[in-house]
Amino acid sequence: MAQTCASHWHRIVLTALTVAALAACGDSDDDHKPPPPPPMANAQQACAQLAGKTVAGATVTAAATVAASGPQPLFCKVNATIPPQLNLELRLPDQWNGKLYYGGGGGYNGSIPGIEVPTNLAALKQGYATVNSDSGHSGNGLSADFALDDPHAASLFGYQSVPTVMSSAREMLQTAYGKAPERSYFEGCSNGGREALMAAQRNPNLFDGIIARAPAYNWVGFMGAFNRNAKALAAPGGAFNAAKTGLLARAVRDACDAQDGIADGVVSNPQSCRFDPAVLRCSGGSDAGDTCLSDAQLAVVQSWTSPAVWANGTYSNAGWALTGNEDDPGAWGVWLTGNGNLNMALQFLFQDTTVKNYLARDRSQDSLTYTWDSNVSALANLSNLNDATNIDLRPLKNSNAKLILWHGTNDAALSFKATNAYYEGMVGAVGGQAAADEFVRYYLAPGVNHCAGGPGADQTDLLTTLDTWVTKGTAPGTLTATKEINGATAFTRPLCRYPQYPRYTGPANDAAAAAQASNYTCTAP
């Protein structure tokens, strides 16, 4: 009996071992894993998948690979049209990182920003599929002619083109690569910054992350300020030539430059600058040459620096700061004064086409004789179309998306003080600083012009910063900005979280130390 029982248990043990061995050999966990995904399509294959097709309402009109050239990698360029006339360009990298980058436009759009745009090229080099559009019309970016008789084109420009293009772009990527993007980001400056905030406000679930740089979010307000500035310059004796602008800029630098710890040609702490332009007044107030400012020219400075309100406070605009870099080639001369020829100034041109096509709805209207709030219903229509002024971003926060705001302090197109006001209002609307810090960062770039340029450090990889925040949960703090001259890094600076500024704390009279971000400390104003 004992032998029989032993044999019985021996057979059970052998059977168990056999089953275990069979399981190890042929029934492992690996047998239950899905097969590996097929290789990702390269650029040429992605082109072939889209050529001649209509995908999610977008009809592909051209699809061809573009050879690598210099810093530009090999990619597939796809052009498509969403009827009636919303044109887009999708660029598909040879090795896709699984993410989509949507680049915003500028001015009144009317054309597709191409791969020559630095942010588009940088995203493509990192493996992003990139997309841009013309926002629904073709034309000069300085012209709002499209809005006069085409309400659909006006709506596309205002707020509809981005979600419309996104709907098609996602499906086009699915067709090209066999999968939808894992993450989608938007980055834009100027009008592109407005498009960014418009998406954040109206389509809070559209993007995983958004970068809004120098956002033109307050369309009625800043266009009204453009109109007021133009009238001040057009008044008898109001014109500024380059010498007058230089006089003002030098006086501001002399008074305020060193307040940030170093006299380097950039007023990095504009909040502390209390320069009074009246010290430049010509004796008696009449123009006495390029060594002083007349009363009419001081009135221009007053228009520039003071807030403006219209329609009993319904619409407003923060004034610009005097920065000490008004004489930079990309500042006052281009945007405000036209270097003595007002009709060449970009602020004049933008307000003029806005008056003619949105407000007066009459292309013969002289914008310099038009009263900005004479037609309140026209202002309301312009605001409903183009303003992105809603400060309640709780829906964006609840979508787990992230937002980075950025603005150069020498921006002669759009005042950083307006973006300050938006950020501060938003902080209150979402429940205070701690709540805002969960999903928003705001950075001021001292001495930087509109979107780029100027004497300040103007280059920062905000896309990688945003992606790291979204994918890894690493919230950004102080960043590093660079200034490149002829392809080489000239100097670096900290890019400080608002309201801080970079204060020089390194050794005195040391040019090499002054060029290094490590010798500056982000400091409260």
Side-chain angles (χ1 to χ4, degrees), residues 67-112:
S69 176
Q72 174 191 294
L74 170 71
F75 69 99
C76 166
K77 185 171 79 168
V78 180
N79 293 98
T81 299
I82 303 171
Q85 55 184 12
L86 174 53
N87 298 304
L88 65 90
E89 184 170 295
L90 183 66
R91 303 172 202 94
L92 307 175
D94 205 37
Q95 295 182 338
W96 186 36
N97 68 7
K99 301 168 189 175
L100 173 62
Y101 172 87
Y102 193 137
Y108 272 116
N109 290 345
S111 60
I112 299 174

Side-chain angles (χ1 to χ4, degrees), residues 406 445 456-460 479-483 489 491-495 517:
W406 173 100
D458 59 345
Q459 300 298 314
T460 309
L479 305 177
T480 299
T482 63
K483 181 68 175 182
T489 298
F491 58 86
T492 60
R493 292 286 187 276
L495 188 64

Side-chain angles (χ1 to χ4, degrees), residues 253-422:
R253 289 197 296 271
D254 289 345
C256 300
D257 185 1
Q259 292 176 1
D260 54 19
I262 187 171
D264 61 352
V266 174
V267 178
S268 294
N269 184 15
Q271 294 95 322
S272 71
C273 185
R274 300 290 183 264
F275 174 76
D276 183 0
V279 301
L280 298 176
R281 184 175 185 262
C282 297
S283 178
S286 297
D287 198 333
D290 293 339
T291 60
C292 60
L293 299 181
S294 69
D295 285 347
Q297 289 155 352
L298 287 172
V300 172
V301 179
Q302 174 67 15
S303 176
W304 180 255
T305 57
S306 61
V309 295
W310 299 273
N312 297 318
T314 303
Y315 308 101
S316 64
N317 188 72
W320 285 258
L322 289 175
T323 68
N325 297 124
E326 289 79 8
D327 55 350
D328 186 85
W332 266 35
V334 170
W335 283 97
L336 179 66
T337 69
N339 289 317
N341 183 357
L342 179 59
N343 291 335
M344 295 300 292
L346 292 179
Q347 284 201 7
F348 171 83
L349 293 169
F350 275 120
Q351 65 81 32
D352 187 64
T353 194
T354 302
V355 166
K356 287 174 164 59
N357 292 288
Y358 280 100
L359 301 181
R361 303 192 65 77
D362 177 359
R363 290 182 184 150
S364 68
Q365 173 68 51
D366 180 355
S367 61
L368 296 179
T369 64
Y370 184 82
T371 300
W372 190 250
D373 55 1
S374 60
N375 186 337
V376 176
S377 64
L379 281 185
N381 180 62
L382 177 59
S383 176
N384 291 337
L385 285 168
N386 293 352
D387 274 353
T389 50
N390 183 1
I391 57 175
D392 187 357
L393 294 185
R394 285 178 295 178
L396 184 73
K397 179 179 183 290
N398 293 338
S399 75
N400 293 319
K402 309 302 181 186
L403 170 65
I404 295 177
L405 293 163
W406 173 100
H407 209 131
T409 64
N410 197 50
D411 190 335
L414 301 165
S415 174
F416 73 87
K417 294 171 70 175
T419 305
N420 292 357
Y422 180 85

Side-chain angles (χ1 to χ4, degrees), residues 22-35:
L22 289 172
C25 293
D27 193 25
S28 69
D29 289 342
D30 290 340
D31 290 337
H32 296 290
K33 290 182 179 179

